[in-house]
Amino acid sequence: MSQPETDPPTIKIVAALISDSDGRVLLVRKSGTEYFMQPGGKIDHNERPMQTLEREIQEELGCAIVRGSEVYLGKHLAEAANEPGHILEADLYRMDISGEPKPLAEIEELVWLPPNNPNQLKLAPFTRDSVLPLVYVRVNPIGHLALKRGPNSV
């Protein structure tokens, strides 16, 4: 007798899409992992998504979110990069940050990924399949990012 199929476990997170004036996207890699992804993290009990992002951006990058720069880019599903057999459910926000990001807490490395060479790193499925296509959609024919709101936004 076969077992009934069950849905894979879901990990709910909130993530930040942060870019600089050259169109490079900020990605982080956690200690002990190989995939680069958006800054952000799991939502703590009774926490709202923006509270999570404020906490994570401060803890992981030593930066603050510029108030009023947040733009909700939707809910996205992807295969979890570091938890095999899990699905990632991510609320994604584009935003500006203040301060110079540096790897703190569990972040081992951060990079500014140029839009013309996304294949230079091992990217999390969410970053590769959901986030970066949103960035490239906003690039106009002469290669400049459209809809820019500041030095650290798309």
Side-chain angles (χ1 to χ4, degrees), residues 90-154:
D91 284 311
L92 179 64
Y93 290 83
R94 177 175 60 81
M95 64 189 52
D96 298 337
I97 57 172
S98 62
E100 185 63 34
K102 51 193 169 292
L104 301 171
E106 72 268 16
I107 302 303
E108 186 167 312
E109 185 177 3
L110 65 82
V111 297
W112 289 97
L113 182 71
N116 61 347
N117 195 4
N119 297 322
Q120 68 184 11
L121 299 172
K122 191 165 190 175
L123 301 174
F126 169 60
T127 298
R128 181 191 66 225
D129 301 335
S130 295
V131 179
L132 293 183
L134 289 173
V135 174
Y136 300 143
V137 155
R138 287 178 168 75
V139 175
N140 68 27
I142 58 172
H144 297 289
L145 291 178
L147 307 173
K148 290 199 296 188
R149 294 174 53 132
N152 294 320
S153 65
V154 173

Side-chain angles (χ1 to χ4, degrees), residues 7-151:
D7 291 332
T10 300
I11 301 167
K12 294 183 180 186
I13 68 155
V14 61
L17 172 54
I18 300 165
S19 65
D20 67 8
S21 60
D22 294 325
R24 300 177 305 166
V25 175
L26 180 64
L27 300 177
V28 299
R29 186 176 59 77
K30 295 181 181 182
S31 298
T33 68
E34 56 186 324
Y35 291 100
F36 283 86
M37 60 190 61
Q38 269 41 66
K42 295 175 186 166
I43 300 172
D44 284 347
H45 183 67
N46 290 331
E47 205 173 38
R48 291 188 311 267
M50 285 309 301
Q51 289 175 313
T52 300
L53 277 179
E54 288 171 354
R55 175 179 50 78
E56 293 285 351
I57 297 293
Q58 178 61 47
E59 289 175 2
E60 295 180 350
L61 304 175
C63 295
I65 297 170
V66 174
R67 294 264 183 228
S69 69
E70 313 90 359
V71 176
Y72 183 63
L73 298 176
K75 187 176 296 292
H76 302 266
L77 298 176
E79 176 186 345
N82 298 316
E83 292 89 358
H86 287 68
I87 297 295
L88 186 74
E89 181 181 299
D91 284 311
L92 179 64
Y93 290 83
R94 177 175 60 81
M95 64 189 52
D96 298 337
I97 57 172
S98 62
E100 185 63 34
K102 51 193 169 292
L104 301 171
E106 72 268 16
I107 302 303
E108 186 167 312
E109 185 177 3
L110 65 82
V111 297
W112 289 97
L113 182 71
N116 61 347
N117 195 4
N119 297 322
Q120 68 184 11
L121 299 172
K122 191 165 190 175
L123 301 174
F126 169 60
T127 298
R128 181 191 66 225
D129 301 335
S130 295
V131 179
L132 293 183
L134 289 173
V135 174
Y136 300 143
V137 155
R138 287 178 168 75
V139 175
N140 68 27
I142 58 172
H144 297 289
L145 291 178
L147 307 173
K148 290 199 296 188
R149 294 174 53 132

